[in-house]
Amino acid sequence: MTTPQLDTYIVEHRGGFESLLGQMVEIPSISMDPTKATDVRRMADLATQVLTEFGAEARIVETGGYPIVSGGWTAGAEYPTVTVYNHLDVQPAQEPEWQQAPFAFKNEGGIYRGRGATDDKGPALAVLFAARYAMDQGLPINIRFLWELEEEIGSPHFAAGLKDRSHIPRPDSVVVSDTIWIAKGQPAMPYGLRGLVGARLTLRTGSKDAHSGVTGGAARNPLAELMEVAHACVNAKTGEVTIPGFYHDVVKATKEEIKSFLKSGFQVKRFKEAYGLHALRTDDPAEVMRRIWAAPTFEIHGLTGGYHGPGVKTVVPGHGELKVTMRLVPNQTPEKAFALLKKYVSKLNPDVKVQPEGMLHPFKGSFDGTYVECVKRAAKAGFGKEPAFIREGGSIGAVVTMQKAWKVPILFLGLSLPEHGYHAPNEYFDWGQASGGMKAFAQYFAELAKMEKR
Ligand SMILES: [Zn+2]
């Protein structure tokens, strides 16, 4: 990559980038809102049109839900193929804190305001401009785009879409641009995601609520029994999960991984402020990051049943429900974690019913190796610094689906900053991250072009 030439390209295309981002942000492609179905479709049409205007092949692939936009450039079948994953659906934007109409794009001198600007339309477009540049240079590489429109609702039809191998071919590697750095000025790229399994624990001990003055003492109390079960599953003070066998498959984070986490710019104080947390189970930064990214959890989200109004009503509830989830790390599986929970609960209290609520597998990509070296050089070229490799505490369903379907390396090269307001009011993206992203991706494609086809 000749830098002065790339710099000129980026400067010359700033107007084009801004105008396209404006058009995309102004389509309220909220996948969660059924009344916006036409807009989500319109987004797919615009994306296809944009790819075509860029000179790429493009098509809409039907999935049974919202479609996937698939397209790209083929330089030659003998060259390596990279698929870039982004999504073009967005979160709803009903928060009262919005200082503008969320779907009226505003460009304030390189600050791009509007829902979807940073998640994930801005990054998607930055990669597209970089890819166009890489193809203009005649790089021996095939670049494909996979633009999903159901990411914000958990990618329910993504796996079905990937079955269309003729329109969504298996690449040699994938790069995902849909993640957030920990601090501005320090690129941070995840290589792992936690998985998840939810469960509802229900217990019925009577056909209706009864009066404790009449039945109390003899009647069983389902809320107390469910609390006993919860208490047996997790240590409330330390967070340690006490389900037998739960930690058996956990691969512990290595010293090198923790050292890498510490380079991300993570600050305990900022973390507490961002989420309004008064106190944590630990204040040691390495331990906080290990716990939120690389360790499993058992979380209680709700206990329902009985009386919830003002004051105290003396009922003995007839029914109770405990809502829990477990975050999982490699090599745990949601199936096994759920089975362990169910077995343990049936031993603790055979009357409690345990029903699963959604399962997502954890993901662990490469922490070192050739592709990781490419990501390092790309981030350095784009932002002047090598990235810290971190993990994410959440889950991206599409990533696990691609790993399962293709079994190829999946790398992350995210461009969003914490202050951009992912899933929050007053979301924005900025030219610094967009132009740095174009440089980073131009470098990344040049690095991949040097690699052998797998
Ligand atoms: Zn996103």
Side-chain angles (χ1 to χ4, degrees):
M1 289 283 113
T2 54
T3 308
Q5 197 186 342
L6 176 58
D7 286 345
T8 310
Y9 169 88
I10 291 173
V11 171
E12 279 173 357
H13 288 83
R14 179 168 175 169
F17 171 83
E18 291 175 344
S19 131
L20 275 180
L21 182 57
Q23 287 177 49
M24 286 193 171
V25 166
E26 298 210 335
I27 298 179
S29 47
I30 309 170
S31 49
M32 211 178 282
D33 182 349
T35 69
K36 296 288 188 285
T38 333
D39 294 304
V40 179
R41 288 270 163 190
R42 208 149 57 82
M43 189 64 237
D45 290 338
L46 174 64
T48 315
Q49 187 194 320
V50 168
L51 283 174
T52 311
E53 281 166 8
F54 266 67
E57 167 258 321
R59 72 170 59 241
I60 287 177
V61 178
E62 292 300 335
T63 64
Y66 287 128
I68 295 170
V69 175
S70 170
W73 286 279
T74 308
E78 66 276 31
Y79 303 137
T81 301
V82 58
T83 289
V84 186
Y85 170 91
N86 289 94
H87 66 90
L88 299 179
D89 61 321
V90 301
Q91 283 278 314
Q94 284 153 337
E95 301 93 343
E97 294 91 341
W98 276 95
Q99 287 163 8
Q100 64 169 91
F103 296 102
F105 180 70
K106 267 196 195 162
N107 176 0
E108 293 170 355
I111 301 285
Y112 310 125
R113 298 192 185 277
R115 172 59 87 220
T118 199
D119 181 19
D120 182 31
K121 293 172 176 177
L125 279 176
V127 188
L128 177 64
F129 277 85
R132 174 71 264 182
Y133 179 80
M135 297 320 287
D136 287 346
Q137 304 305 299
L139 289 183
I141 185 171
N142 308 311
I143 303 175
R144 295 202 58 87
F145 301 95
L146 198 53
W147 288 345
E148 202 197 351
L149 287 143
E150 288 189 333
E151 195 275 341
E152 301 293 4
I153 49 170
S155 306
H157 301 92
F158 190 68
L162 288 203
K163 290 205 175 107
D164 186 347
R165 287 264 176 136
S166 60
H167 298 131
I168 307 182
R170 176 179 180 266
D172 300 297
S173 70
V174 173
V175 59
V176 174
S177 191
D178 183 29
T179 51
I180 318 171
W181 299 5
I182 302 301
K184 187 178 179 165
Q186 173 57 62
M189 305 306 169
Y191 63 92
L193 308 164
R194 287 198 291 191
L196 180 75
V197 57
R200 288 190 304 118
L201 278 59
T202 53
L203 177 58
R204 179 165 285 289
T205 52
S207 60
K208 57 186 178 195
D209 291 356
H211 191 304
S212 72
V214 179
T215 65
R220 286 172 64 184
N221 188 310
L223 299 188
E225 291 186 29
L226 286 170
M227 282 191 269
E228 182 189 48
V229 167
H231 177 70
C233 290
V234 63
N235 181 319
K237 292 249 168 39
T238 64
E240 187 201 348
V241 184
T242 42
I243 300 167
F246 182 77
Y247 289 99
H248 191 261
D249 299 326
V250 169
V251 180
K252 283 192 183 144
T254 63
K255 273 194 187 120
E256 286 69 34
E257 290 181 272
I258 301 287
K259 246 168 85 183
S260 178
F261 294 173
L262 285 165
K263 289 182 192 152
S264 66
F266 180 90
Q267 285 180 6
V268 173
K269 189 168 168 273
R270 221 190 298 149
F271 172 74
K272 281 163 80 172
E273 278 167 11
Y275 299 102
L277 303 169
H278 298 305
L280 302 177
R281 284 174 175 150
T282 170
D283 280 317
D284 172 39
E287 182 56 11
V288 172
M289 286 184 277
R290 189 191 70 79
R291 280 167 171 261
I292 61 175
W293 296 338
T297 65
F298 182 99
E299 213 70 70
I300 295 162
H301 306 293
L303 176 62
T304 65
Y307 177 71
H308 291 265
V312 176
K313 186 174 173 220
T314 54
V315 293
V316 178
H319 176 260
E321 177 171 313
L322 186 69
K323 298 168 189 294
V324 306
T325 65
M326 293 172 270
R327 293 274 170 192
L328 307 172
V329 298
N331 292 329
Q332 291 177 299
T333 67
E335 291 84 3
K336 185 168 172 192
F338 179 78
L340 289 173
L341 170 71
K342 195 169 170 163
K343 188 176 161 203
Y344 188 44
V345 172
S346 79
K347 204 177 117 193
L348 294 166
N349 191 329
D351 294 337
V352 174
K353 279 202 190 109
V354 187
Q355 285 157 301
E357 281 284 319
M359 293 193 178
L360 285 168
H361 283 255
F363 168 83
K364 181 141 181 268
S366 328
F367 179 66
D368 45 29
T370 325
Y371 285 94
V372 170
E373 292 306 314
C374 292
V375 170
K376 280 186 190 168
R377 287 194 285 269
K380 182 102 201 261
F383 301 100
K385 262 191 189 172
E386 281 200 358
F389 285 86
I390 59 168
R391 298 209 210 169
E392 291 248 330
S395 318
I396 308 179
V399 169
V400 179
T401 302
M402 289 188 285
Q403 188 190 39
K404 227 170 146 185
W406 294 334
K407 300 179 178 64
V408 300
I410 301 180
L411 284 297
F412 293 81
L413 193 45
L415 303 178
S416 299
L417 299 178
E419 51 268 46
H420 283 165
Y422 240 70
H423 296 201
N426 303 310
E427 176 177 347
Y428 70 96
F429 193 51
D430 69 76
W431 178 243
Q433 291 302 105
S435 57
M438 288 181 200
K439 279 186 214 171
F441 272 97
Q443 182 68 38
Y444 189 64
F445 295 137
E447 296 282 348
L448 292 188
K450 288 186 234 160
M451 287 168 65
E452 295 279 304
K453 187 176 169 60
R454 283 157 53 89

